[in-house]
Amino acid sequence: MVNKIKMSIIEKGIITDIKQISGDIWDMTVAASQIARNSKPGQFVHVKVNNGFKPFLRRPLSIGPVNGDTLRLIFLVKGGGTQILAKKNVGEEIDMIGPLGSAFRMPKKDEFPIFMAGGIGIVPLLFLDDCLTNDIQRLFLLGLRSRSFSTVSDDELNKRSIYVSSDDGSIGFKGNVIELLTEQLDNNKLINPIIYSCGPGIMLAKLKEFCEMRQIPAYVSLEVPMGCGVGACQSCAVPKADGDGYYLVCQDGPVFDASLVNLNHGELP
Amino acid sequence: MVNKIKMSIIEKGIITDIKQISGDIWDMTVAASQIARNSKPGQFVHVKVNNGFKPFLRRPLSIGPVNGDTLRLIFLVKGGGTQILAKKNVGEEIDMIGPLGSAFRMPKKDEFPIFMAGGIGIVPLLFLDDCLTNDIQRLFLLGLRSRSFSTVSDDELNKRSIYVSSDDGSIGFKGNVIELLTEQLDNNKLINPIIYSCGPGIMLAKLKEFCEMRQIPAYVSLEVPMGCGVGACQSCAVPKADGDGYYLVCQDGPVFDASLVNLNHGELP
Amino acid sequence: MIVNANVRMGDIELRTPLLTGSGTFGYGSEFEDLTDYSALGGIVTKSLSFEPRAGNPPPRICETSSGGIINSIGLANVGIEEFLGSKVNELPLDKTEVFLSVVGDSVEDFTKVVERLEDVERIAGYELNVSCPNVKRGGLSLGGDREAVTAIVREVRALTKRFISVKLTPHYTLIAPVAQAAVDAGADALTLINTLVGMEINAETRKPLLGNITGGYSGPPLKPVALAKVWQAAQVVDVPIWASGGIVNGIDAIEFLLTGATALQVGSVLFADPKAPTRILNEMIQYCERHNVDSFTDLIGGLRT
Amino acid sequence: MIVNANVRMGDIELRTPLLTGSGTFGYGSEFEDLTDYSALGGIVTKSLSFEPRAGNPPPRICETSSGGIINSIGLANVGIEEFLGSKVNELPLDKTEVFLSVVGDSVEDFTKVVERLEDVERIAGYELNVSCPNVKRGGLSLGGDREAVTAIVREVRALTKRFISVKLTPHYTLIAPVAQAAVDAGADALTLINTLVGMEINAETRKPLLGNITGGYSGPPLKPVALAKVWQAAQVVDVPIWASGGIVNGIDAIEFLLTGATALQVGSVLFADPKAPTRILNEMIQYCERHNVDSFTDLIGGLRT
Ligand SMILES: Cc1cc2nc3c(=O)[nH]c(=O)nc-3n(C[C@H](O)[C@H](O)[C@H](O)COP(=O)(O)OP(=O)(O)OC[C@H]3O[C@@H](n4cnc5c(N)ncnc54)[C@H](O)[C@@H]3O)c2cc1C
Ligand SMILES: Cc1cc2nc3c(=O)[nH]c(=O)nc-3n(C[C@H](O)[C@H](O)[C@H](O)COP(=O)(O)OP(=O)(O)OC[C@H]3O[C@@H](n4cnc5c(N)ncnc54)[C@H](O)[C@@H]3O)c2cc1C
Ligand SMILES: Cc1cc2nc3c(=O)[nH]c(=O)nc-3n(C[C@H](O)[C@H](O)[C@H](O)COP(=O)(O)O)c2cc1C
Ligand SMILES: Cc1cc2nc3c(=O)[nH]c(=O)nc-3n(C[C@H](O)[C@H](O)[C@H](O)COP(=O)(O)O)c2cc1C
Ligand code: FES
Ligand code: FES
């Protein structure tokens, strides 16, 4: 919905680094100058994980931190497609369409940005974090199931001063990330907060409720299965909050003003 | 039709040797005691070339020379299935159903056996050759397109005194194997010949015609695409010579008295 | 944990929900050296017609680039006379339930075959293969799909007290009315689905891969179509559904139970893996153990929508 | 060797036989940064209905274990009013031939849309998506498949001189009579086939993968079914056939030409490979070079049977 950018290309990036962050989480750096140089935080690439047509569809992945000609893709091995990605080696090509979709709108001068990530939802927020100049204060929260499911390295946690919550208390705050958010908001009496969030559907739905109650603006990045990724097939519908039809996540999103979308669909099947 | 044998099993053999004979021809030795010990020349195994279901069907392959607990599979890399087979290594398992189908009937005392192979059709004849005691005279003919498409090693050619014809004259007699057969029959004035043959459909059809003209009994081993391999699905039909329906190659064959089958179907599509 | 594998359909109890698909397991004895019958609830025999049928010219089977197969057997079978003379003795009646598949081009074809089969003892029931279009009655073509199915099922029903499943093709514009018609006419179960009509060619030689050009498409590519038809039929009929189409492993089988099937036919997979029934049954049991389900029956229709 | 890629259909000449499948290429501009239009003979737009349609609840797309996909977009489209207001300006009329796909639940739906579209200039023709069962006329359900197709095509034919292709589903018991009915009613071409009805579920969560439970199954598993329908229709009608179903490479495309198709729609493949038209065209040309064929037209119907 915000800062919609056209002009996407197909680019064959070259993997320059790939490492395992934790159990099923991989962090891949790809040299792809054209996509990298035109990306804004919140946008995504549509990745062909294999030659041929197995799997048949591309996989949408958020664009993580960009550094000159490279971008980082951080992903959870969920099924067959991401499994193939995780087995790639440095030097291999990776066919991507991007940058696609909408970007986060930047915080205004008087707003206090809060990044709230659930698990692997941290990826676009890392990029957004990089795009705010150092003088801008911010709060970065990450909810994990447990330490062993971490989606970023300890180094990165420290460097970015990320506050972590975990369901089992094995790292950081014990509880969910909405509880952590509540605690932080209340303890620090933050003025004019604006929330940027990405994570599991249930977390986003709760966040939306929370923000509506407290009248805090929130931007959420959504995940739905996609076909084309470019607005042609209407596969990626998300219901509008007003009940009047659907937005397309690949084109109108993936970043949405939380108040405009209906998030009561729970997790994907 | 002849010497029909029941009792087939699924056995996971172990590859003990695999080598390339020429361009696309591979010679694999498999330890599979139960199948090996129960096989008769002419019978075949139905081979699962891969775990899972890609390709979906098994591949029928003639049982080549048997040596105690091992048997040889010699195959032409024709498409995807045999390609997978050719890439297997010593020590790998290979899932086979066998022995399946009918065997060649052995020559009677007064008959002079002639083996006539076209290309990869030599496989069951090698096994048959081994099964005749040394005192039995025989003539072994092999038709090739050219030397570089040989389906047996030079060693084996010599050891078995195989007469070769090639279309281009690059090895042995220049011409086709029926011409070679004619020459041999006429020059050597063989009495009571009986022909055992396996090879391309067109060669077998010509052989049948030839043998009918000269009133020579002939047994042919046929190839048609198969489903089950055990007589359950009726996929492997070959028309009866009398026009009254079909035989099943996996059950009534693969070895047939040439006079009983209609071979005018040419090559497979 | 012990998982209860049996399923009930009216008076019939199958010790497992697994049946063999018609035409893929012959008359039930061809695979006897290879397949463990204890994993099977029953078998369905090759479709039997009144007159013998020689079948189609070869080749009769090919693979598709999509990972399935196409067959054009052409319903080759020995006909009722020879069946009663010889094949009937091969039926594995001591080992499992036997359902006889019957096919015909006219209503009379079906009734003439079933009439004769009624004399064969210990048969659990019939599967009526009504999947061929253009069925006739007394020589006249029957109007629509529903009319043909109704006529066949009603007249066979009048002849027998045995269990009848009616096997439908996926090539109906809508499956629900045909499914309903079969049940209204007296079917005890529906078998969904028969093969799709398919074709493959070799572009290099420009020849079709089958002698008959087109044939019946089966195997894994059929599964999504079969799931949809089972689901659609399960919404409108109350009789048990026998699923057929692309089952190769235990998860496929579980998917069909969840979608509403009571019994599950394994067909093409037997060619690749004659021991598939045992393997699939084990995989189904493992699923149940993982999900704390103590009976296959509890999964039937358990899709969460 | 220069291979002549163009094909003729009546008055229309396509510079290549490749078209985009309805619903996979939007209104023709969404892919403009990615796809080279010069490889396309034309595009077919997303099916347009009289009233806007919001479409089905998400998820709307999933993969199948058989290597295809299922979509349940639910014919989401902006409706004729908004189409004429905005989308019409996105049509790539300068780049390629544009065929507008039209859909409806009743005969009147079709005629009302086509009437309005007649005012849009430079449109090459229409594709009538008659693949939904239960079409009505004046509120009454039309009897059979042939009746519905005949009514729609005849009434649209009366409204326009433009090229009309009629897109049929594979879920007819027999395709030939429906194909014949469409041609008799005035169709200039037939598009074969629309998607199969399919469904996938996640056995672990017990949920269907699509919000609408069932959807349209497309991609490689569809190809054998589409080949069979193209072949069967080509035996009975003389109009050009537009093939649709599972084309992902040049050999697939050649197979459809040989089987009798004149034009070839690329659909789902565009999601994986937006440059598919260029790749497929090159692969087709390579085939022709290898086989010494100097025009695609020479391959049409060239199957050796
Ligand atoms: C805009 C966007 C950005 C994303 N960014 C990231 C990211 O940075 N890191 C990351 O790990 N994941 C991200 N995802 C989710 C990621 O796309 C899926 O986890 C991935 O597609 C799963 O593929 P698979 O083959 O491993 O799993 P499978 O479950 O086998 O996939 C089967 C199908 O479902 C689709 N699918 C499955 N899960 C999802 C999902 N959560 N969202 C969308 N489609 C799904 C797949 O694309 C595929 O088509 C993002 C999704 C979207 C829409
Ligand atoms: C009884 C019998 C014995 C055989 N013995 C041998 C042997 O010893 N050595 C050897 O090289 N080949 C033999 N063949 C042929 C061999 O089965 C095929 O070459 C092989 O199946 C091709 O598989 P593919 O995947 O490489 O080729 P593809 O062409 O990709 O196979 C596609 C499908 O067609 C079938 N098919 C293709 N060609 C044939 C064929 N000629 N006969 C039967 N089915 C075919 C395959 O089994 C498969 O189902 C024999 C065939 C039969 C019926
Ligand atoms: C070789 C072969 C022969 C078949 N013959 C019949 C038949 O005679 N009658 C019938 O109703 N179905 C027949 N079928 C269809 C199967 O019973 C089954 O419905 C179909 O193959 C789908 O299931 P599958 O994907 O598990 O094979 C046949 C299938 C194959 C592969
Ligand atoms: C996402 C999607 C949307 C589709 N929408 C339509 C449509 O609106 N109208 C139509 O006639 N066909 C529609 N189709 C069917 C395609 O045009 C095509 O006929 C079918 O997908 C088979 O071809 P394929 O295998 O090349 O995709 C759609 C297909 C997909 C995948
Ligand atoms: S994925 Fe095709 S419109 Fe969004
Ligand atoms: S291959 Fe099944 S009967 Fe011969």
Side-chain angles (χ1 to χ4, degrees):
Chain A
M1 309 302 302
V2 196
N3 299 336
K4 192 182 141 182
I5 287 153
K6 255 259 149 144
M7 280 306 286
S8 44
I9 60 149
I10 304 188
E11 185 172 10
K12 289 201 202 278
I14 304 283
I15 300 172
T16 60
D17 191 21
I18 175 161
K19 53 177 180 275
Q20 198 170 7
I21 300 282
S22 68
D24 283 335
I25 308 288
W26 294 76
D27 187 338
M28 181 188 269
T29 307
V30 184
S33 59
Q34 304 209 57
I35 294 177
R37 295 204 171 269
N38 290 298
S39 297
K40 301 203 174 158
Q43 292 190 294
F44 69 98
V45 283
H46 212 23
V47 179
K48 195 157 190 319
V49 298
N50 220 349
N51 290 330
F53 299 96
K54 288 168 186 175
F56 195 82
L57 294 175
R58 289 175 178 259
R59 299 297 191 253
L61 291 178
S62 296
I63 298 173
V66 164
N67 189 347
D69 285 346
T70 69
L71 53 86
R72 273 166 68 197
L73 301 177
I74 311 171
F75 55 91
L76 166 73
V77 172
K78 197 189 159 217
T82 44
Q83 180 66 61
I84 293 170
L85 270 188
K87 293 210 169 120
K88 301 237 182 245
N89 298 309
V90 168
E92 282 188 68
E93 262 183 13
I94 170 162
D95 175 325
M96 304 183 295
I97 304 177
L100 294 167
S102 62
F104 290 109
R105 85 147 170 75
M106 288 293 154
K108 295 179 196 138
K109 263 230 170 85
D110 60 342
E111 288 175 328
F112 187 95
I114 302 176
F115 308 146
M116 190 183 115
I120 191 67
I122 196 167
V123 185
L125 303 174
L126 293 173
F127 185 14
L128 179 59
D129 189 35
D130 286 350
C131 292
L132 301 192
T133 48
N134 281 337
D135 57 317
I136 301 179
Q137 272 205 59
R138 68 205 78 176
L139 179 65
F140 202 143
L141 312 177
L142 167 64
L144 297 174
R145 271 196 284 161
S146 135
R147 174 186 272 283
S148 56
F149 291 97
S150 188
T151 49
V152 278
S153 66
D154 288 351
D155 249 26
E156 194 139 11
L157 284 182
N158 293 333
K159 204 183 68 185
R160 297 183 188 264
S161 314
I162 300 175
Y163 288 72
V164 180
S165 73
S166 59
D167 295 347
D168 62 0
S170 56
I171 178 171
F173 175 90
K174 183 175 163 132
N176 71 41
V177 65
I178 306 243
E179 290 160 2
L180 174 59
L181 170 68
T182 316
E183 194 195 71
Q184 291 286 329
L185 279 174
D186 296 347
N187 289 358
N188 301 331
K189 307 234 153 45
L190 299 177
I191 316 250
N192 247 345
I194 169 172
I195 296 180
Y196 297 95
S197 186
C198 181
I202 285 167
M203 177 194 97
L204 296 181
K206 281 192 189 146
L207 173 70
K208 177 179 152 100
E209 211 176 290
F210 177 88
C211 290
E212 273 162 11
M213 230 162 51
R214 300 220 181 183
Q215 295 195 294
I216 301 174
Y219 290 90
V220 292
S221 175
L222 302 183
E223 294 185 5
V224 293
M226 288 184 177
C228 68
V230 299
C233 74
Q234 315 225 35
S235 294
C236 56
V238 59
K240 295 182 181 176
D242 61 11
D244 180 24
Y246 298 90
Y247 291 116
L248 297 182
V249 170
C250 74
Q251 194 178 52
D252 305 321
V255 176
F256 291 91
D257 179 331
S259 67
L260 298 180
V261 284
N262 176 346
L263 297 175
N264 296 323
H265 278 263
E267 296 310 310
L268 293 174
Chain B
M1 310 300 302
V2 198
N3 299 335
K4 190 181 142 185
I5 287 152
K6 256 256 150 142
M7 280 308 284
S8 44
I9 60 149
I10 304 188
E11 186 172 10
K12 289 199 202 280
I14 304 282
I15 300 172
T16 60
D17 192 21
I18 175 159
K19 53 176 181 275
Q20 197 170 6
I21 300 280
S22 68
D24 282 334
I25 308 287
W26 295 76
D27 187 338
M28 182 189 268
T29 308
V30 184
S33 59
Q34 304 210 58
I35 293 177
R37 295 203 172 270
N38 290 298
S39 298
K40 302 206 174 157
Q43 292 190 295
F44 68 99
V45 284
H46 212 22
V47 179
K48 197 157 187 321
V49 298
N50 220 349
N51 290 330
F53 299 96
K54 288 169 187 174
F56 195 82
L57 294 175
R58 288 174 179 260
R59 298 298 190 256
L61 291 177
S62 297
I63 298 172
V66 164
N67 189 347
D69 285 346
T70 70
L71 53 86
R72 273 168 66 198
L73 302 177
I74 311 171
F75 56 91
L76 166 73
V77 172
K78 198 189 158 215
T82 45
Q83 180 66 61
I84 293 171
L85 270 187
K87 294 211 168 117
K88 301 236 183 245
N89 298 309
V90 168
E92 282 188 68
E93 262 185 12
I94 169 161
D95 175 323
M96 303 182 294
I97 304 177
L100 294 166
S102 63
F104 290 109
R105 84 146 168 78
M106 288 292 153
K108 294 180 197 138
K109 263 231 171 86
D110 59 344
E111 288 175 329
F112 187 95
I114 303 176
F115 307 146
M116 191 183 114
I120 191 67
I122 198 167
V123 185
L125 303 174
L126 293 174
F127 185 13
L128 180 59
D129 189 36
D130 286 350
C131 292
L132 300 193
T133 49
N134 281 337
D135 57 316
I136 300 178
Q137 273 205 60
R138 69 204 77 175
L139 180 64
F140 202 142
L141 311 177
L142 167 63
L144 296 175
R145 272 195 285 161
S146 135
R147 176 186 271 283
S148 56
F149 292 96
S150 187
T151 49
V152 278
S153 66
D154 289 352
D155 249 27
E156 195 141 8
L157 283 181
N158 293 333
K159 204 183 67 186
R160 298 183 188 265
S161 315
I162 300 175
Y163 288 72
V164 180
S165 73
S166 59
D167 295 346
D168 63 359
S170 57
I171 179 172
F173 174 89
K174 182 173 163 131
N176 70 41
V177 66
I178 307 243
E179 290 161 0
L180 175 60
L181 171 68
T182 317
E183 192 194 72
Q184 290 285 330
L185 279 173
D186 295 349
N187 290 359
N188 301 330
K189 310 232 151 44
L190 300 177
I191 318 252
N192 246 346
I194 168 172
I195 295 180
Y196 297 96
S197 187
C198 181
I202 284 167
M203 178 195 98
L204 297 180
K206 282 194 187 143
L207 174 71
K208 177 179 151 102
E209 211 177 288
F210 177 89
C211 289
E212 273 163 11
M213 229 162 53
R214 299 220 181 184
Q215 296 195 294
I216 301 173
Y219 290 91
V220 292
S221 175
L222 303 183
E223 295 185 5
V224 291
M226 289 185 176
C228 67
V230 300
C233 73
Q234 316 223 35
S235 296
C236 57
V238 59
K240 295 183 180 174
D242 61 11
D244 181 24
Y246 297 90
Y247 291 116
L248 296 183
V249 171
C250 75
Q251 192 178 54
D252 305 321
V255 176
F256 291 92
D257 180 331
S259 67
L260 297 180
V261 284
N262 175 346
L263 298 175
N264 297 323
H265 278 264
E267 296 310 311
L268 293 174
Chain C
M1 177 178 172
I2 288 172
V3 178
N4 196 345
N6 67 342
V7 292
R8 273 210 86 76
M9 310 178 304
D11 290 344
I12 298 183
E13 184 166 288
L14 301 178
R15 92 194 127 193
T16 85
L18 298 178
L19 306 171
T20 59
S22 175
T24 63
F25 205 67
Y27 295 103
S29 67
E30 294 83 349
F31 276 98
E32 71 186 341
D33 302 337
L34 308 173
T35 304
D36 182 357
Y37 288 72
S38 69
L40 290 172
I43 66 157
V44 180
T45 55
K46 174 73 188 169
S47 293
L48 187 66
S49 55
F50 187 70
E51 301 287 348
R53 297 194 191 190
N56 288 324
R60 289 183 177 177
I61 193 167
C62 70
E63 290 178 315
T64 66
S65 51
S66 54
I69 60 175
I70 311 181
N71 81 81
S72 64
I73 309 301
L75 292 167
N77 79 92
V78 296
I80 183 72
E81 216 50 65
E82 188 175 331
F83 175 80
L84 294 174
S86 65
K87 295 290 174 190
V88 72
N89 303 313
E90 294 178 21
L91 298 174
L93 293 165
D94 294 328
K95 297 184 182 158
T96 191
E97 300 291 345
V98 174
F99 296 89
L100 299 176
S101 170
V102 179
V103 73
D105 290 329
S106 68
V107 178
E108 295 72 28
D109 279 359
F110 281 90
T111 54
K112 284 191 294 187
V113 174
V114 171
E115 246 165 15
R116 304 287 307 274
L117 293 176
E118 283 289 287
D119 297 335
V120 182
E121 282 171 26
R122 296 162 67 204
I123 299 301
Y126 304 111
E127 185 178 83
L128 306 182
N129 175 1
V130 301
S131 316
C132 10
N134 277 342
V135 169
K136 297 182 176 57
R137 167 191 240 154
L140 291 173
S141 188
L142 282 169
D145 301 324
R146 263 175 297 182
E147 289 69 14
V149 168
T150 300
I152 295 165
V153 179
R154 184 173 298 153
E155 304 204 9
V156 171
R157 177 78 290 167
L159 289 174
T160 183
K161 295 206 156 61
R162 286 179 174 163
F163 196 89
I164 299 178
S165 186
V166 178
K167 185 169 183 181
L168 303 176
T169 131
H171 290 288
Y172 296 119
T173 323
L174 290 170
I175 196 95
V178 186
Q180 188 64 59
V183 173
D184 292 345
D188 299 304
L190 298 176
T191 304
L192 301 169
I193 54 177
N194 215 318
T195 52
L196 282 163
V197 178
M199 164 174 176
E200 280 278 350
I201 75 173
N202 179 342
E204 300 303 317
T205 61
R206 300 195 193 176
K207 288 193 198 161
L209 292 188
L210 296 175
N212 191 49
I213 305 177
T214 63
Y217 183 26
S218 65
L222 209 61
K223 194 187 73 174
V225 181
L227 281 169
K229 295 300 173 196
V230 167
W231 169 255
Q232 289 172 338
Q235 303 315 298
V236 296
V237 300
D238 279 331
V239 300
I241 293 174
W242 295 1
S244 170
I247 298 176
V248 302
N249 61 45
I251 296 298
D252 296 332
I254 297 286
E255 287 174 11
F256 279 104
L257 290 180
L258 291 170
T259 303
T262 298
L264 310 158
Q265 297 191 354
V266 289
S268 310
V269 68
L270 292 163
F271 305 163
D273 179 12
K275 296 196 188 305
T278 307
R279 177 177 54 78
I280 291 172
L281 184 63
N282 286 336
E283 290 163 351
M284 292 173 74
I285 290 171
Q286 280 157 24
Y287 173 94
C288 287
E289 288 168 351
R290 198 161 68 240
H291 288 267
N292 236 341
V293 171
D294 51 23
S295 158
F296 288 165
T297 303
D298 293 346
L299 293 171
I300 299 171
L303 195 67
R304 296 184 179 135
T305 58
Chain D
M1 178 178 169
I2 289 172
V3 177
N4 195 347
N6 67 340
V7 292
R8 272 210 87 75
M9 310 179 304
D11 290 341
I12 297 182
E13 184 166 288
L14 301 178
R15 93 194 126 194
T16 85
L18 298 178
L19 305 172
T20 58
S22 174
T24 63
F25 205 67
Y27 295 102
S29 67
E30 295 83 349
F31 276 98
E32 71 186 340
D33 302 337
L34 308 172
T35 305
D36 181 358
Y37 289 72
S38 69
L40 290 172
I43 66 155
V44 181
T45 54
K46 174 72 187 170
S47 294
L48 186 66
S49 55
F50 187 70
E51 301 286 347
R53 295 194 191 189
N56 288 324
R60 288 183 176 178
I61 194 165
C62 70
E63 290 178 317
T64 66
S65 51
S66 54
I69 60 175
I70 311 180
N71 82 80
S72 64
I73 310 302
L75 292 167
N77 79 92
V78 295
I80 183 72
E81 215 51 64
E82 188 175 331
F83 176 80
L84 293 174
S86 65
K87 295 289 175 191
V88 71
N89 304 313
E90 294 179 22
L91 298 175
L93 292 165
D94 294 327
K95 297 184 184 160
T96 192
E97 300 290 344
V98 174
F99 297 89
L100 300 176
S101 171
V102 179
V103 73
D105 290 329
S106 69
V107 178
E108 295 72 28
D109 278 358
F110 281 91
T111 54
K112 284 191 293 186
V113 174
V114 171
E115 246 164 17
R116 304 287 307 273
L117 292 176
E118 282 290 286
D119 297 335
V120 182
E121 281 170 27
R122 295 162 67 204
I123 299 301
Y126 304 111
E127 185 177 83
L128 305 182
N129 176 1
V130 302
S131 315
C132 12
N134 277 341
V135 169
K136 296 180 176 58
R137 167 190 240 153
L140 290 173
S141 189
L142 282 170
D145 301 325
R146 263 175 297 181
E147 289 70 13
V149 168
T150 299
I152 295 165
V153 179
R154 185 172 299 154
E155 304 204 8
V156 172
R157 177 76 291 167
L159 289 174
T160 183
K161 296 207 155 66
R162 286 179 173 162
F163 195 89
I164 299 177
S165 186
V166 178
K167 185 168 182 182
L168 303 176
T169 130
H171 289 288
Y172 296 120
T173 322
L174 289 171
I175 195 96
V178 186
Q180 188 64 60
V183 173
D184 291 345
D188 299 303
L190 299 175
T191 304
L192 301 169
I193 54 180
N194 214 317
T195 53
L196 283 163
V197 178
M199 163 174 176
E200 280 278 348
I201 74 173
N202 178 342
E204 299 304 316
T205 61
R206 300 197 193 175
K207 287 193 197 160
L209 293 189
L210 297 175
N212 192 49
I213 304 178
T214 63
Y217 183 25
S218 65
L222 208 61
K223 193 186 74 175
V225 181
L227 281 169
K229 295 300 174 197
V230 168
W231 170 254
Q232 289 173 338
Q235 303 315 297
V236 297
V237 300
D238 279 330
V239 300
I241 293 173
W242 296 1
S244 170
I247 298 176
V248 301
N249 62 43
I251 297 299
D252 297 332
I254 296 287
E255 287 174 13
F256 278 105
L257 290 180
L258 291 170
T259 303
T262 298
L264 310 158
Q265 296 190 354
V266 289
S268 310
V269 68
L270 292 163
F271 305 164
D273 179 12
K275 297 196 187 305
T278 306
R279 177 177 54 78
I280 291 173
L281 184 64
N282 286 335
E283 289 163 352
M284 292 173 73
I285 290 172
Q286 280 158 23
Y287 173 94
C288 288
E289 287 169 349
R290 199 161 69 240
H291 288 269
N292 235 342
V293 171
D294 51 24
S295 158
F296 287 165
T297 304
D298 294 345
L299 293 171
I300 298 170
L303 195 68
R304 297 186 177 131
T305 57

